[in-house]
Amino acid sequence: MSASIRILGIDPGLNATGWGVIDQTGSRLSLVEYGVIKAPPKAPMAERLTVIYNAIEVLVEQFKPHEAAVEDQFVHASAVSALKLGQARAAAMLAPARAGLVVGEYAPKLVKKSVVGTGSAEKAQVAAMIAILLPGSKADADAADALAVAVCHAHHRTNLKGLAS
C-alpha cells in the first residue's frame, strides 16, 4: 500500500482565507478537516496579514501536512485589489514554506478543471464536486475552494520538482 500524503490546500483572501486538509493514499483522497480564516476587515493591513499567517502556522502545527498548495492569483480589474490579494497569498504561503514544506501554486482555472472538469465552473459547482470527491464535506465557498486546491495538488503534485511520486 502507498504511503499517505497529507496536503494543506489554501484559497487566500484578505477577508476570508479558506483552508482544507486532505490525505492522499495512492489515488484515494480522504477529507481531514476544513475551515475559513477571517481577518478583521477594518484592522490595519499588517494586522490582517498577521492573522492569516498565524492561523496557517497553527494549522501546519496541528495537522502536520507533508505538502501545501495555494491558489494562484487571478487578474483583478483593480491593481490595488490585485496587490492586496498578493499580500494575502504571501502571508498564506509563508507559514508552510517556513515549516519546510514545498508549496505548489495552481491557477484558478486548473483548480476548477481538476475538480469539475471545466475551468469556468462556478463556486457552487466546485462545492458540489468536493462533496462527491470528499465524502463528509459540507464545505462551501472559500473552504470548498481550498479543498479543491488540495485535490488539484493531489492530481498534479508529481509534476512539481522536488516532490516524490
Side-chain angles (χ1 to χ4, degrees), residues 28 34 59 112-113 130:
R28 184 175 167 268
Y34 58 88
L59 292 171
K112 292 175 183 178
K113 188 172 184 177
I130 286 299

Side-chain angles (χ1 to χ4, degrees), residues 12 48 71 73 79 96 100 120 122 133-134 138 161 163-164:
R48 294 166 82 187
E71 188 169 76
Q73 191 168 340
S120 59
E122 300 292 325
L133 293 170
L134 300 170
K138 300 205 182 317
K161 185 177 181 183
L163 294 180

Side-chain angles (χ1 to χ4, degrees), residues 25-134:
T25 307
S27 62
R28 184 175 167 268
L29 302 177
S30 57
L31 175 66
V32 175
E33 191 59 78
Y34 58 88
V36 178
I37 300 161
K38 300 263 187 184
K42 298 197 187 234
M45 179 64 76
E47 183 180 328
R48 294 166 82 187
L49 296 173
T50 300
V51 166
I52 294 167
Y53 172 84
N54 288 342
I56 292 177
E57 186 176 51
V58 167
L59 292 171
V60 169
E61 291 171 12
Q62 179 180 356
F63 292 104
K64 302 192 180 349
H66 300 102
E67 300 170 9
V70 178
E71 188 169 76
D72 203 353
Q73 191 168 340
F74 58 92
V75 178
H76 279 273
S78 159
V80 172
S81 294
L83 180 61
K84 288 179 180 180
L85 179 58
Q87 291 172 323
R89 284 186 71 247
M93 293 174 70
L94 191 56
R98 285 185 49 99
L101 304 180
V102 172
V103 181
E105 298 179 63
Y106 298 95
K109 286 186 181 243
L110 179 60
V111 171
K112 292 175 183 178
K113 188 172 184 177
S114 296
V115 173
V116 180
T118 177
S120 59
E122 300 292 325
K123 278 191 175 283
Q125 291 173 294
V126 172
M129 281 304 298
I130 286 299
I132 292 167
L133 293 170
L134 300 170

